[in-house]
């Protein structure tokens, strides 16, 4: 700051005389002369010739001579030698590079460099935001295009399916499917599908050949067999008691109904398990009602009793006709 802002009052010739030098001397001579005179006149030195005013004149002359040498060297060899002189100056605060930004004193160049860094950071932030926005809009456009393609594909697929369904219905209405080659025959146990890998094909074939059935089919079969067996057993129990029932038979019939209700409760638990594993909603089953099943058993028993009693009545009527047929024929003969 002192070198940049100080304006010396002495001219160049007087400065050389103060340093006891001649014009055209080297930089080392200037430095050595300044060091010797500084030691001689510096107020803090132990020399008997210490004088602050003389030291100030020596320092001013030294700065003027350095500036003169720097100007001459700059005119001769350019900016590289100027940096060399400045780097070899006595000051401990050298000019910084600041990436080649700014002019003037070090403080001015530092302020200019700080402003340059702020501007550069602002530009980088703006460029980054611009890139993010571009990438975001590009990604949204791409996803929008993919969604449009997917929707078009779905629409085309649905249109084709509707067209195929319409053609099938039209062919069925015309009767094209009435005389097919395999009509009335069972389907093949397993036909190879090109959409199934060979391993799955072989596993399915092995399972089918060994009588494999899904769990829900087995449960459905078991439930149907169980309810059929329970219905037959309660009808058989009712037939054993006879008609009308005595008091002891009524108690026995009550115990039979209680056991039947317990069996129905257990069967309904199986129905719940079946509904959990069945893959088709329309195949689910409802609970069996104990009261409805008992009423059904009574109706079945009454129908069986009526069926048994009707043939006996007809047989009796036939026997009575045979028994009294000769009497009627005798009366007719007598009348004749």
């Amino acid at each position: 700051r002192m070198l940049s802002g100080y304006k010396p009052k002495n001219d160049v010739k007087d400065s050389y005389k103060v340093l006891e030098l001649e014009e055209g001397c080297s930089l080392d001579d200037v430095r050595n002369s300044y060091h010797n005179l500084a030691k001689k006149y510096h107020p803090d030195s132990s020399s008997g010739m210490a004088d602050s005013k003389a030291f100030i004149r020596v320092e001013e002359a030294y700065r003027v001579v350095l500036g003169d040498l720097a100007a001459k060297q700059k005119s001769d060899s350019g900016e590289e030698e100027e940096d060399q002189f400045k780097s070899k100056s006595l000051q401990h605060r050298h000019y910084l590079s600041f990436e080649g930004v700014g002019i003037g004193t070090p403080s001015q160049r530092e302020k200019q460099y700080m402003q340059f860094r702020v501007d550069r950071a602002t530009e980088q932030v703006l460029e980054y935001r611009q890139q993010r926005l571009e990438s975001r809009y590009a990604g949204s456009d791409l996803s929008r295009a993919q969604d449009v393609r997917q929707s078009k594909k779905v629409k085309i697929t649905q249109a084709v399916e509707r067209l195929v369904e319409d053609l099938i219905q039209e062919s069925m209405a015309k009767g094209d499917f009435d005389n097919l080659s395999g009509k009335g025959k069972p389907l093949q146990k397993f036909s190879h599908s090109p959409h199934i890998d060979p391993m799955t094909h072989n596993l399915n074939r092995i399972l089918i050949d060994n009588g494999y059935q899904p769990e829900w089919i087995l449960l459905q079969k078991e439930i149907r067999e169980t309810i059929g067996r329970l219905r037959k057993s309660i009808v058989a129990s009712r037939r054993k008691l006879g008609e009308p029932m005595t008091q002891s038979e009524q108690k026995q019939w009550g115990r039979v109904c209680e056991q039947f209700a317990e069996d129905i409760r257990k069967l309904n638990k199986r129905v719940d398990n079946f509904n959990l594993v069945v893959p088709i909603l329309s195949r689910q089953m409802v609970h069996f009602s104990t009261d409805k099943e008992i009423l059904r058993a009574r109706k079945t028993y009454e129908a069986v009793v009526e069926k048994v009693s009707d043939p006996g009545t007809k047989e009796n009527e036939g026997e009575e006709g045979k028994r009294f047929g000769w009497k009627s024929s005798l009366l007719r003969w007598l009348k004749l």
Side-chain angles (χ1 to χ4, degrees):
R1 288 195 298 270
M2 292 175 66
L3 282 175
S4 60
Y6 178 76
K7 296 181 180 179
K9 297 180 181 179
N10 299 332
D11 56 2
V12 179
K13 293 182 180 180
D14 294 337
S15 299
Y16 276 104
K17 290 180 181 180
V18 171
L19 293 177
E20 299 176 357
L21 296 171
E22 295 180 357
E23 294 185 9
C25 62
S26 63
L27 182 60
D28 293 334
D29 295 337
V30 175
R31 288 175 181 171
N32 294 331
S33 177
Y34 172 74
H35 290 165
N36 294 330
L37 294 175
K39 292 177 182 179
K40 184 177 180 180
Y41 297 113
H42 198 280
D44 296 334
S45 65
S46 59
S47 174
M49 300 179 65
D51 186 2
S52 58
K53 294 182 180 180
F55 177 74
I56 291 173
R57 288 196 300 270
V58 170
E59 188 175 2
E60 292 176 355
Y62 176 66
R63 293 170 182 169
V64 173
V65 171
L66 284 179
D68 182 61
L69 292 176
K72 292 179 179 179
Q73 190 69 21
K74 183 177 180 180
S75 61
D76 294 339
S77 59
E79 296 179 354
E80 293 180 358
E81 293 297 328
E82 180 184 3
D83 295 338
Q84 181 180 0
F85 279 108
K86 289 181 180 180
S87 63
K88 293 182 180 180
S89 62
L90 185 62
Q91 299 184 38
H92 63 282
R93 295 185 179 180
H94 304 289
Y95 284 95
L96 301 177
S97 63
F98 300 118
E99 299 182 13
V101 177
I103 57 174
T105 62
S107 60
Q108 293 174 351
R109 295 181 66 192
E110 184 177 2
K111 291 180 181 179
Q112 296 171 8
Y113 180 65
M114 293 299 294
Q115 185 63 35
F116 169 75
R117 290 184 63 185
V118 171
D119 296 339
R120 184 172 61 183
T122 305
E123 292 178 358
Q124 291 178 354
V125 170
L126 292 176
E127 290 179 359
Y128 174 72
R129 290 180 178 177
Q130 183 179 0
Q131 291 176 0
R132 286 193 61 184
L133 291 174
E134 291 177 355
S135 61
R136 183 183 303 174
Y137 284 118
S140 62
D141 294 340
L142 181 60
S143 61
R144 192 180 299 109
Q146 292 178 354
D147 294 339
V148 170
R149 288 196 296 269
Q150 186 67 21
S151 62
K152 289 183 179 179
K153 185 177 180 180
V154 171
K155 290 180 180 178
I156 293 172
T157 304
Q158 294 176 353
V160 171
E161 290 178 353
R162 288 195 297 269
L163 178 61
V164 172
E165 185 67 23
D166 294 340
L167 293 175
I168 292 175
Q169 294 296 332
E170 183 180 355
S171 299
M172 291 175 65
K174 292 180 180 179
D176 296 339
F177 295 159
D178 294 341
N179 299 321
L180 295 178
S181 59
K183 183 178 180 180
K185 298 180 181 179
L187 297 175
Q188 294 182 4
K189 184 170 56 176
F190 186 82
S191 59
H192 177 68
S193 175
H195 305 288
I196 301 178
D197 58 287
M199 181 62 69
T200 306
H201 172 81
N202 294 330
L203 289 175
N204 292 337
R205 181 175 54 79
I206 292 172
L207 292 173
I208 293 173
D209 292 341
N210 288 273
Y212 171 77
Q213 292 180 347
E215 182 181 3
W216 66 275
I217 293 180
L218 296 177
L219 282 175
Q220 186 180 29
K221 182 178 180 181
E222 182 181 359
I223 290 170
R224 290 177 178 176
E225 292 178 353
T226 303
I227 190 63
R229 185 174 65 255
L230 291 176
R231 288 171 178 172
K232 290 180 180 180
S233 64
I234 192 172
V235 172
S237 300
R238 181 64 185 86
R239 291 182 64 181
K240 290 180 181 179
L241 298 177
E243 185 68 28
M245 291 186 295
T246 62
Q247 187 174 1
S248 59
E249 290 176 346
Q250 289 180 356
K251 292 181 180 180
Q252 186 177 357
W253 173 248
R255 290 193 295 269
V256 171
C257 293
E258 291 178 359
Q259 182 63 36
F260 181 77
E262 181 66 19
D263 294 337
I264 290 295
R265 187 181 64 81
K266 294 179 181 180
L267 183 62
N268 288 332
K269 289 185 178 181
R270 296 182 184 178
V271 172
D272 293 336
N273 297 332
F274 169 78
N275 292 334
L276 291 175
V277 298
V278 63
I280 305 173
L281 185 62
S282 60
R283 293 295 184 90
Q284 290 190 346
M285 303 176 67
V286 297
H287 284 184
F288 296 98
S289 175
T290 305
D291 297 335
K292 291 182 179 181
E293 292 297 333
I294 293 175
L295 181 61
R296 178 176 180 174
R298 289 178 180 176
K299 291 181 178 180
T300 304
Y301 168 73
E302 293 175 356
V304 171
V305 171
E306 292 179 357
K307 185 177 180 180
V308 171
S309 60
D310 287 344
T313 304
K314 293 180 180 179
E315 290 178 358
N316 294 332
E317 292 178 354
E319 291 178 354
E320 291 178 355
K322 291 179 181 180
R323 186 182 304 170
F324 299 101
W326 63 273
K327 293 181 179 180
S328 59
S329 60
L330 178 61
L331 291 174
R332 288 196 202 100
W333 182 75
L334 291 174
K335 288 179 180 179
L336 291 173

